[in-house]
Amino acid sequence: MVLAQTRDVAVPCPVYGTPTAKVHGYHRRTVRDMLVDGHQVVDQLHVRRLACPALGCWRQTYREQIPGVLERHQCRTVRLVGQISVRGPTGPWPERRVPRTSLHR
């Protein structure tokens, strides 16, 4: 398991684009990463929930995103998704079938 935390820098609001570093709270995201020495790696990311400083912003609070590592609503890292799309969901052996349910765990 890998534990990581984002840096304390200003992040722009996705609606207004106004940068803010005002923390409303924290959120922990658990995602799957690439295999290391045949073992599944799980990343736990500690991300901030930020408050938009713009008056009238309908979103008010938002979670910071981690570009290049994790996209919105993903349960796998970007590099794991890239590896699956290159190799295919069944891995390096095309004749080997993987049940759909095992791809979502």
Side-chain angles (χ1 to χ4, degrees), residues 14-80:
V15 177
Y16 279 93
T18 310
T20 184
K22 182 180 178 186
V23 177
H24 179 72
Y26 291 92
H27 179 73
R28 186 173 302 269
R29 293 195 59 189
T30 303
V31 294
R32 290 178 43 201
D33 204 346
M34 292 178 62
L35 296 176
V36 174
D37 197 26
H39 298 284
Q40 181 67 55
V41 175
V42 176
D43 299 335
Q44 280 200 347
L45 306 170
H46 194 96
V47 296
R48 299 175 295 168
R49 179 173 275 293
L50 301 166
C52 181
L55 296 176
C57 179
W58 60 269
R59 180 155 274 169
Q60 295 182 355
T61 64
Y62 57 96
R63 290 186 194 127
E64 66 182 324
Q65 301 301 311
I66 308 168
V69 176
L70 190 63
E71 299 296 329
R72 239 181 125 162
H73 304 294
Q74 273 190 318
C75 59
R76 299 180 188 111
T77 60
V78 171
R79 63 183 177 182
L80 178 59

